[in-house]
Amino acid sequence: MTDPRPGFLLVANWPSDVGFAWWLMESYWAALANHYHPEYRVVLAFPEVGEIPEVIRDAPIETVEFAFGRGNAESDLEFLNQFQVRALYFSDRPNIDPRYLRYRRAGVKHIITHDHTPGLRTAPTGLKRLLKWARARIPGIVCDAAIGATEFVRQRTIDTNLLPAEKCFAVPNGLPEPQALLPRDPIAEFSLTADAVHMVMTARANPYKGLRFVLDCLAKFRETESIDLQFTLLGDGPMLDELQTLAANHGIADACHFPGYVDGVNALLPGFDFAIHPSKGEVGYSLAILEYMRAGLATLVPDNPSVCGATTHGQTGLIFREGNQDACIAAMKALACDPAYRSELGEAARIDEKRYSLANAHERLLEVVQSTLSR
């Protein structure tokens, strides 16, 4: 028998077995499905279906293999009609798209986008601004709600895409409740120097994360300071060999540690002294920064507004001028040379992190979606 419920279509941009990186988005899909399945037939379209993540298997979601919005327009319309789709939830798709008008003609009543893309954008000026403003008010082609992963992303949408503010919402990213993990000692596990000060970063080793900058600053720090400051990167990626070569060229190979991907990072983080995260762009902050805060680590971040949104300078961490080595080295010195100061900042960070919970994010997401569907 045909399911009489209208369809609520969730659209994925990646294969179902892409891995750990999309757990947050998967949790949002599950939260929406658990809330709306009595009223809607919740369908999740993956461009490729392999292994289905457990959180999706346990939710009332019907998974299908279909690259929605990436192929033949007529096929998209047939898909919408097949599942009687009335609500569409996209991640990292345009807020404005002429195809949305065709979707609406096929019966879609509500289109919601959720932006998790990192980095700064340039606000338009002059004639370009006027044209973008007008385009963002053409009926039918604009989403009904544009959700940002943080308040920074929400404001970026208003400033650069020129959407009406009343269509823009923030659902701040958060962390799930911590698992009860046995503490692990990174000093012993990675054979680190016991009496050194240890700075940590968790990230994929790619140029966007600012890792060359870290090593450049660390090399200069060790030229002028007597304290033994060392750096550990927890993460794999295409830059690992390059970073090891750069550390050797700087003469700091013995002070840099690259164990690669490590499972259970949260059990290791409290064993470090402070963290650094000089990324060139996030969504206002990164989940890694929230994890440092939860571990009670003061964190050094650049003044890039897409990165430093969760950090309060001089209270939960230190903010330095982006790309300025002298400013970063001074911040390194302030934490490396003063155990009491970094402990004070770290404890304040641990308390502040409690604001960023996944439960709060789910609650806010459901509020935004419900207000949109009820219009």
Side-chain angles (χ1 to χ4, degrees):
M1 187 175 75
T2 303
D3 193 322
R5 293 172 299 171
F8 193 143
L9 177 60
L10 316 172
V11 181
N13 300 333
W14 52 88
S16 65
D17 54 1
V18 74
F20 70 94
W22 294 105
W23 67 264
L24 180 62
M25 198 65 237
E26 291 163 1
S27 83
Y28 289 157
W29 292 332
L32 289 169
N34 286 323
H35 185 79
Y36 284 108
H37 79 93
E39 181 182 354
Y40 286 90
R41 178 185 184 183
V42 182
V43 179
L44 172 56
F46 283 107
E48 298 175 32
V49 173
E51 183 178 355
I52 303 296
E54 182 178 0
V55 67
I56 302 301
R57 293 200 308 267
D58 293 342
I61 296 176
E62 183 178 343
T63 57
V64 297
E65 182 172 289
F66 186 78
F68 187 87
R70 297 187 178 277
N72 182 277
E74 292 303 320
S75 296
D76 286 346
L77 299 181
E78 290 174 7
F79 186 89
L80 294 174
N81 287 322
Q82 176 187 349
F83 291 99
Q84 302 180 73
V85 174
R86 299 297 176 263
L88 258 171
Y89 176 80
F90 288 118
S91 61
D92 302 337
R93 295 284 184 99
N95 298 316
I96 306 170
D97 193 321
R99 288 175 295 185
Y100 294 169
L101 187 58
R102 300 191 71 189
Y103 299 163
R104 295 183 194 280
R105 288 173 177 167
V108 175
K109 297 181 181 298
H110 312 284
I111 298 175
I112 301 167
T113 62
H114 200 151
D115 187 356
H116 297 81
T117 57
L120 301 170
R121 304 285 189 274
T122 301
T125 59
L127 179 60
K128 184 177 181 180
R129 180 178 182 83
L130 179 62
L131 293 174
K132 287 194 74 171
W133 184 93
R135 184 170 184 257
R137 283 150 183 82
I138 297 175
I141 71 170
V142 184
C143 65
D144 300 291
I147 301 174
T150 62
E151 178 58 35
F152 164 80
V153 178
R154 173 187 175 274
Q155 193 60 50
R156 185 183 68 187
T157 301
I158 296 170
D159 294 342
T160 62
N161 293 350
L162 303 181
L163 260 66
E166 62 270 19
K167 286 193 173 189
C168 301
F169 306 88
V171 175
N173 284 353
L175 296 177
E177 287 297 311
Q179 294 179 313
L181 300 174
L182 291 175
R184 290 159 58 188
D185 180 10
I187 307 301
E189 192 159 327
F190 305 130
S191 300
L192 307 181
T193 306
D195 57 355
V197 175
H198 292 282
M199 176 174 64
V200 68
M201 181 173 175
T202 66
R204 184 158 172 76
N206 65 47
Y208 197 67
K209 293 298 181 179
L211 290 158
R212 296 190 191 96
F213 178 80
V214 175
L215 298 195
D216 291 344
C217 291
L218 180 61
K220 289 188 175 181
F221 176 96
R222 290 174 64 88
E223 287 175 1
T224 59
E225 303 298 328
S226 59
I227 193 165
D228 185 9
L229 177 61
Q230 301 192 7
F231 172 64
T232 300
L233 172 68
L234 302 178
D236 59 10
M239 279 187 70
L240 279 183
D241 290 343
E242 178 185 338
L243 293 171
Q244 290 169 340
T245 300
L246 181 59
N249 291 342
H250 278 323
I252 57 171
D254 60 336
C256 295
H257 312 278
F258 305 104
Y261 173 76
V262 179
D263 196 20
V265 163
N266 290 332
L268 289 162
L269 286 177
F272 291 92
D273 294 299
F274 64 92
I276 187 168
H277 204 88
S279 174
K280 297 178 182 178
E282 302 288 355
V283 295
Y285 52 83
S286 74
L287 292 174
I289 291 173
L290 299 186
E291 289 170 343
Y292 307 147
M293 295 169 68
R294 173 176 285 180
L297 300 181
T299 304
L300 306 182
V301 293
D303 61 0
N304 183 326
S306 78
V307 181
C308 65
T311 305
T312 303
H313 181 68
Q315 294 184 31
T316 63
L318 296 178
I319 300 175
F320 59 87
R321 193 159 73 253
E322 184 175 42
N324 188 295
Q325 292 185 13
D326 291 339
C328 183
I329 292 166
M332 286 180 175
K333 182 178 178 180
L335 296 184
C337 299
D338 193 337
Y341 184 49
R342 64 178 182 254
S343 178
E344 176 187 336
L345 296 183
E347 184 56 32
R350 191 198 311 274
I351 295 169
D352 199 43
E353 179 274 329
K354 292 180 172 60
R355 296 188 296 137
Y356 302 96
S357 76
L358 186 59
N360 289 343
H362 286 175
E363 182 179 352
R364 177 59 178 154
L365 175 66
L366 292 174
E367 287 177 358
V368 171
V369 173
Q370 185 57 41
S371 69
T372 304
L373 298 186
S374 63
R375 285 192 217 128

